[in-house]
Amino acid sequence: MTITADTSPDGFPLWSLREDVHVEADQAGDVVILHSRWGDEVVRRPGRAVVEALHRMSLGPVSLENAVGDPADRPALDRVLGRLRHLVIRSLGLDQERPVISVVPLTPRARFGPVAPRPGRAVRMSRFAVLRAVDGVYHLESPLSLHRVVLHRPEALWCLAKLSRPLTPAAAAAAMPCPAAPAMDMLAYLIGAGMLVQARPGETGGPPVFAEDTDPALVTWPPEDLMFHTRSTLGRHDHDFGATYPMGERWTVEPVTKPAAREGESVPLYRPRWETLMASDPPLTAAVEGRRPTRRFGAGAVTADELGELLYRTARVRSLLASPGEPGEVTSDRPYPSFAASYELELYLAVDRCAGLRPGVYHYDPSGHRLDPVPAAQADVQELLDRGRMSADLTTPPPVLMFVTARFRRVTWKFTGPGYALVLRNTGALLQTLYLVAATLELATRPLATADIDVTARALGTDWRTESCVGGLALGRPADGPGRVERRRRPVNDPGWPELAAELLRRRRTR
């Protein structure tokens, strides 16, 4: 690869190494090693001029014309920088001291080069680009890009403000508060980094068409969902990730179980006996096959004993655990799986019809196996039930709604990056466990498609920023007759198993 100077009378390309790159060279200058987060890069026989240039680039942005004194050394430096592009930050400045924007590589596969805008073809900010403030500067990122653009000066922000709608490159450059040449350079850097998109060639006079707006792989992705996907996984960013304990000693982990809001008002729940379950429980296959989707519940109420058995078998604390090196009990063991045993999830019940339990809102205490009443206005309880019925797409009011909330700090005190994704996976594990055990009790379930986090926070008495609803289900008695919308079915793999499972479950429960 040949590195071109791409200078202009007003714009200055500058070069530096990522801040996490350390340059180490032997005294003879025969070998230079660049240590980075992605491993070591060894450059053999680089020459002293190249070693000196790399050392200067490790200190901050420099002009390559100034980094090498003898033009004869420039080809060797160009070859090394072409090989190390994933470690090189490309900056553009109005002079040799003041970068305006910098393009930072995020992965070992990152390869950047300015892309000159095509005359007459409109440019626009990508709909996937996200701007946020970080440590006194603005960062521009996109899930589609393997680079981050750092905006150092107001001229860069002015450029972005003008590009929220399609403009020709000439019109965009004319609107910027800097000379035309560096303005065009800035557009080239933003296009090369994937933050600006260029329109496809089209008919003169027609509206500009951008590839990201018609690409079948992208049109169904909301930008925030695609960003969440890429930032909660590895491969397309350089953010801290994993068990990093980001809060250090400033904050301690929240208690294993949430303390009761009031003492002395709890409702003790039924506890099933192991021998009884082993004598009456159906096989796992019957529970899996016997759970059928429904849009209508029967008229009968759920009983408090059924709720007690369901919660005991799915969500109770079996034991409290201390992690090695951690003071006190920081986690627990429960029937459903939870990544890193964080068990950040809480269960709340909005009860409308339950034999042996008054209507209202309750919090489940998994350690004491009891329900703690939550003081909620009747209007809020009714709104919970109404919203839950609509979210579950039910034709009849549910006797009981179960809401799953997450105490986020149980996860975020330890994990950076995948935290919220882990919460959602744990929520799925808890809901699946609830579905299966409910099927063995011959109770009907219906998942909640979504939740209003403001309504649930108000009714449950939580702060949505620290504990918010992340899932839920409706619980009731099976309806007589078909409880689901019948659709035309084409048999594929043993479609009769659910009926066999339902019959087995009925027989076992009536023994």
Side-chain angles (χ1 to χ4, degrees):
M1 172 188 171
T2 300
I3 306 294
T4 58
D6 64 3
T7 57
S8 69
D10 300 291
F12 290 87
L14 305 173
W15 303 68
S16 60
L17 297 175
R18 281 179 51 102
E19 293 183 357
D20 56 6
V21 175
H22 172 66
V23 179
E24 180 183 2
D26 63 356
Q27 291 185 350
D30 293 331
V31 174
V32 61
I33 303 174
L34 289 88
H35 306 280
S36 78
R37 66 188 299 144
W38 302 309
D40 295 343
E41 293 284 349
V42 179
V43 181
R44 303 186 184 281
R45 295 183 293 278
R48 290 194 174 276
V50 172
V51 173
E52 177 62 24
L54 292 175
H55 274 299
R56 292 185 61 183
M57 288 172 60
S58 69
L59 301 177
V62 297
S63 166
L64 294 188
E65 281 68 32
N66 295 335
V68 290
D70 187 347
D73 293 324
R74 181 63 187 272
L77 178 59
D78 289 347
R79 287 192 295 271
V80 171
L81 294 183
R83 170 185 164 186
L84 301 176
R85 277 187 292 172
H86 62 294
L87 302 179
V88 174
I89 298 174
R90 300 285 301 273
S91 301
L92 180 69
L94 295 181
D95 55 40
Q96 298 187 37
E97 303 293 333
R98 298 178 299 162
V100 177
I101 62 173
S102 296
V103 180
V104 182
L106 302 183
T107 80
R109 297 185 297 109
R111 301 291 184 270
F112 171 76
V115 177
R118 302 286 184 88
R121 284 172 51 181
V123 293
R124 183 200 73 190
M125 186 67 61
S126 168
R127 70 185 181 93
F128 292 94
V130 175
L131 182 69
R132 63 191 183 100
V134 180
D135 297 332
V137 295
Y138 284 100
H139 285 185
L140 189 62
E141 295 188 358
S142 166
L144 302 180
S145 175
L146 297 182
H147 296 86
R148 175 190 305 116
V149 176
V150 181
L151 311 177
H152 301 282
R153 293 178 53 82
E155 290 86 350
L157 284 171
W158 185 273
C159 171
L160 299 186
K162 296 296 182 179
L163 291 167
S164 60
R165 58 187 178 87
L167 289 175
T168 64
M176 295 183 200
C178 56
M184 282 296 185
D185 288 342
M186 200 177 305
L187 294 178
Y189 273 58
L190 291 170
I191 294 172
M195 304 303 162
L196 290 188
V197 290
Q198 277 197 287
R200 290 173 171 173
E203 297 181 4
T204 304
V209 177
F210 297 90
E212 69 177 16
D213 297 335
T214 58
D215 186 342
L218 295 177
V219 291
T220 59
W221 271 110
E224 58 274 15
D225 285 355
L226 192 56
M227 181 63 85
F228 170 59
H229 174 54
T230 59
R231 275 15 182 199
S232 61
T233 52
L234 291 169
R236 299 190 65 85
H237 66 86
D238 66 346
H239 298 298
D240 291 339
F241 199 89
T244 63
Y245 298 89
M247 292 186 288
E249 297 181 355
R250 290 178 299 165
W251 300 92
T252 57
V253 62
E254 288 189 347
V256 178
T257 57
K258 185 176 179 178
R262 301 186 188 183
E263 294 295 335
E265 298 184 3
S266 299
V267 179
L269 291 171
Y270 166 73
R271 297 169 179 250
R273 296 179 67 250
W274 176 262
E275 294 79 9
T276 303
L277 294 179
M278 291 301 96
S280 62
D281 241 21
L284 174 63
T285 299
V288 172
E289 295 288 338
R291 194 191 76 80
R292 302 298 299 277
T294 183
R295 291 189 58 199
R296 179 166 62 92
F297 288 130
V302 177
T303 70
D305 283 357
E306 288 171 327
L307 282 181
E309 181 171 339
L310 176 62
L311 293 169
Y312 197 80
R313 296 174 61 182
T314 58
R316 78 186 188 280
V317 171
R318 295 188 291 208
S319 56
L320 297 171
L321 306 172
S323 297
E326 298 286 352
E329 296 162 335
V330 296
T331 189
S332 59
D333 172 50
R334 309 187 194 189
Y336 69 95
S338 176
F339 186 85
S342 58
Y343 289 108
E344 73 285 358
L345 303 179
E346 302 288 334
L347 279 170
Y348 291 82
L349 279 62
V351 175
D352 183 37
R353 304 185 307 279
C354 180
L357 196 61
R358 292 179 179 177
V361 177
Y362 298 86
H363 170 253
Y364 175 58
D365 174 3
S367 183
H369 188 56
R370 62 190 184 185
L371 294 179
D372 297 321
V374 175
Q378 181 57 40
D380 290 337
V381 177
Q382 190 58 51
E383 187 171 13
L384 273 185
L385 294 169
D386 292 341
R387 293 291 185 94
R389 180 182 62 80
M390 290 186 291
S391 177
D393 194 25
L394 291 167
T395 59
T396 54
V400 176
L401 284 173
M402 285 190 173
F403 294 96
V404 181
T405 67
R407 291 186 291 147
F408 299 114
R409 213 171 78 200
R410 286 282 304 169
V411 176
T412 57
W413 79 285
K414 181 176 182 179
F415 293 99
T416 300
Y420 191 65
L422 296 179
V423 169
L424 298 182
R425 291 167 192 160
N426 291 342
T427 301
L430 173 56
L431 290 175
Q432 177 71 356
T433 307
L434 285 164
Y435 293 147
L436 293 176
V437 176
T440 69
L441 297 171
E442 210 180 348
L443 293 174
T445 55
R446 179 79 173 176
L448 302 187
T450 186
D452 186 318
I453 60 174
D454 274 340
V455 170
T456 52
R458 185 170 63 251
L460 304 180
T462 64
D463 180 342
W464 71 269
R465 300 169 300 174
T466 59
E467 181 183 348
S468 194
C469 186
V470 291
L473 60 86
L475 186 70
R477 305 225 74 83
D480 295 330
R484 64 184 186 278
V485 177
E486 291 297 331
R487 300 175 181 174
R488 184 176 179 182
R489 293 174 179 264
R490 180 171 64 86
V492 180
N493 294 310
D494 292 305
W497 281 14
E499 283 71 22
L500 296 175
E503 180 59 29
L504 176 60
L505 292 171
R506 280 193 294 270
R507 289 202 308 267
R508 290 201 172 235
R509 293 302 297 177
T510 56
R511 284 181 181 178

